[in-house]
C-alpha cells in the first residue's frame, strides 16, 4: 500500500488497524510470515466500508477467523488480513417465528464467534446438535467456510441460512437450499469463496438434556485427546482425506511419521498432523508438505491435497 492508502486506512479504522503484524501470533501453527496490515472489524457497517475501500483501491485482502486452518507464507501477505470481532462475534437465539415451537430452535452466531463460545452457549441453553464441534478451535465463519466437522457430522448439515458480504460490499442472505457443502468446503454458485465474508450463520438445533449434551462433548474431547498431538502448534489435519482412504493412513504407510524439516514434523502420534515442535517457519512447514506429497505419491500414486489454506 502507498502512503495515501495507509493514511486513509488509518482514518477509516483508527486503532483497529495494526501494521506489519507477525501472523505467527494469529495462527495455531505458531508460524507464518508478516501481514502488511491486520484489521479488527466490529460492525457490519465498518466491514462494508472496509471492503468497498479495499475494492476501490485494489488492495488484496483475506478474512481469517481463529487461524486454526491457515498458513501465511514466509514472504508474508501484501494487503489486509481482516478479523471479525465484538458485535460480529456474538451468539443469541434466532428470531425466526418457529423458535418457540416444537421444530428446530434457531441459533444465530456471528462469523467471528468461536466454536467454543457457540457450543458453550448451546449447552447452557440445553440445545443439541453441534456437540461434534467440541475441541475444534475455529470460528463460526471459518468453520462454515471449511464445512468443519468430526465424527461423521459437519457444520453444513445444521445450517439454516447465512448472511454474507460479497467482494463489492453487498450484503445477502442465503438460505440452506442455496448452499452446497462438500467435504471441507462450502461452494456458492458463481462466487469465489475467498471473496465472500460469512457475517452471520443461523443453525437449527434440537432441545435436549443438558447433562447428555455435556457428556457427549466430554466424550468427543476424550477421543480427540487419545488420537491427536497436544502442546504443539498445528492446524489440525493437514491434508484432505482422498476419496475412499485416509491421508493419515497413506502418510504412515509411506513411513513418514516423525519426518522433519527444521522444527516442522509429521506427528508421530497422528500422521496427518504437521506440527511445529518449536520454532518452525512457514517455509519449513511448506517444505515438509511438499516432501510428504511427493513421497506419498511415489508410494501410493495418490496426490494429497492440503486442507490448510495457504496464503
Ligand atoms: C488441533 C486442531 C484440531 C482440529 N480439528 C478439526 C476437526 O476435527 N475438523 C475440522 O473440520 N477441522 C479441524 N481443525 C481445523 C480448523 O479448526 C477448522 O477448519 C476451523 O473451522 C477453521 O476455523 P478458523 O476460524 O480458525 O478459520 P481460519 O483458519 O482463520 O480460516 C480458514 C479459512 O476460512 C476462511 N474464513 C475464516 N473466517 C471466515 C469468514 N468469516 N467468512 C468467510 N471465510 C472465512 C479463511 O479465509 C480461510 O480460507 C482443527 C484444527 C486444529 C488446530
Amino acid at each position: 500500500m502507498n502512503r495515501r492508502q495507509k493514511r486513509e486506512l488509518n482514518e477509516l479504522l483508527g486503532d483497529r488497524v495494526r501494521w506489519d503484524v507477525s501472523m505467527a501470533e494469529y495462527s495455531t501453527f505458531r508460524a507464518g510470515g508478516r501481514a502488511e496490515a491486520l484489521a479488527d472489524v466490529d460492525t457490519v457497517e465498518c466491514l462494508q466500508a472496509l471492503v468497498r475501500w479495499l475494492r476501490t483501491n485494489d488492495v488484496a485482502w483475506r478474512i481469517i477467523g481463529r487461524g486454526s486452518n491457515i498458513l501465511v507464507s514466509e514472504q508474508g501477505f501484501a494487503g489486509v488480513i481482516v478479523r471479525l470481532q465484538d458485535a460480529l462475534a456474538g451468539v443469541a437465539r434466532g428470531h425466526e417465528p418457529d423458535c418457540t415451537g416444537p421444530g428446530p430452535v434457531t441459533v444465530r452466531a456471528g462469523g467471528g464467534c468461536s466454536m467454543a463460545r457457540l457450543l458453550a452457549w448451546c449447552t447452557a441453553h440445553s440445545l443439541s446438535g453441534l456437540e461434534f464441534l467440541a475441541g475444534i478451535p475455529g470460528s463460526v465463519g471459518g468453520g462454515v467456510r471449511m464445512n468443519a466437522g468430526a465424527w461423521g457430522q459437519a457444520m453444513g448439515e445444521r445450517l439454516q441460512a447465512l448472511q454474507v458480504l460479497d467482494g463489492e460490499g453487498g450484503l445477502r442472505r442465503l438460505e440452506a437450499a442455496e448452499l452446497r457443502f462438500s467435504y471441507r468446503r462450502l461452494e456458492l454458485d458463481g462466487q469465489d469463496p475467498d471473496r465472500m465474508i460469512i457475517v452471520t450463520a443461523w443453525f437449527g438445533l434440537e432441545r435436549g438434556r443438558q447433562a447428555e449434551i455435556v457428556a457427549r462433548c466430554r466424550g468427543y474431547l476424550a477421543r480427540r485427546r487419545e488420537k491427536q498431538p497436544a502442546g504443539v502448534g498445528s492446524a489440525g489435519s493437514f491434508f484432505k482425506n482422498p476419496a475412499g482412504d485416509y491421508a493419515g493412513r497413506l502418510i504412515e504407510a509411506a513411513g513418514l511419521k516423525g519426518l522433519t524439516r527444521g522444527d516442522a514434523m509429521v506427528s508421530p502420534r497422528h500422521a496427518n498432523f504437521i506440527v511445529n515442535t518449536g520454532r518452525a517457519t512457514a517455509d519449513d512447514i511448506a517444505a515438509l508438505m511438499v516432501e510428504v506429497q511427493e513421497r506419498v505419491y511415489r508410494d501410493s500414486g495418490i496426490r494429497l491435497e492440503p486442507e490448510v489454506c495457504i496464503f
Side-chain angles (χ1 to χ4, degrees), residues 29 68-69 183-184 228 234-241 247-248 270-274 305-308:
F29 254 132
S68 63
N69 219 14
Y183 174 59
R184 300 291 171 265
Q228 295 182 356
S234 85
S237 294
F238 195 95
F239 297 100
K240 292 182 183 176
N241 288 324
H270 188 314
N272 197 17
F273 273 55
I274 290 183
E305 260 184 65
E307 177 184 314
V308 172

Side-chain angles (χ1 to χ4, degrees), residues 241 244-255 270-272 299-300 302:
N241 288 324
D245 211 333
Y246 293 96
R249 193 199 69 74
L250 292 163
I251 297 167
E252 192 168 350
H270 188 314
N272 197 17
D299 191 66
S300 65
I302 293 174

Side-chain angles (χ1 to χ4, degrees), residues 28 62-70 84 111-112 115 135-150 155 184 193-194 196-199 224 228 234-237 273 307 309 311:
T28 54
R62 291 298 293 251
I63 176 93
I64 64 163
R66 301 260 149 174
S68 63
N69 219 14
I70 57 163
L84 308 182
M115 308 271 208
I136 302 184
S139 67
V140 166
V144 171
R145 163 77 164 81
M146 300 305 297
N147 195 16
M155 286 187 91
R184 300 291 171 265
D194 289 338
M196 178 203 69
I197 298 175
I198 295 160
V199 179
R224 256 175 209 281
Q228 295 182 356
S234 85
S237 294
F273 273 55
E307 177 184 314
C309 308
F311 43 88

Side-chain angles (χ1 to χ4, degrees), residues 263-279:
D263 276 352
M265 181 196 263
V266 175
S267 168
R269 200 176 161 98
H270 188 314
N272 197 17
F273 273 55
I274 290 183
V275 294
N276 178 355
T277 60
R279 292 166 162 263

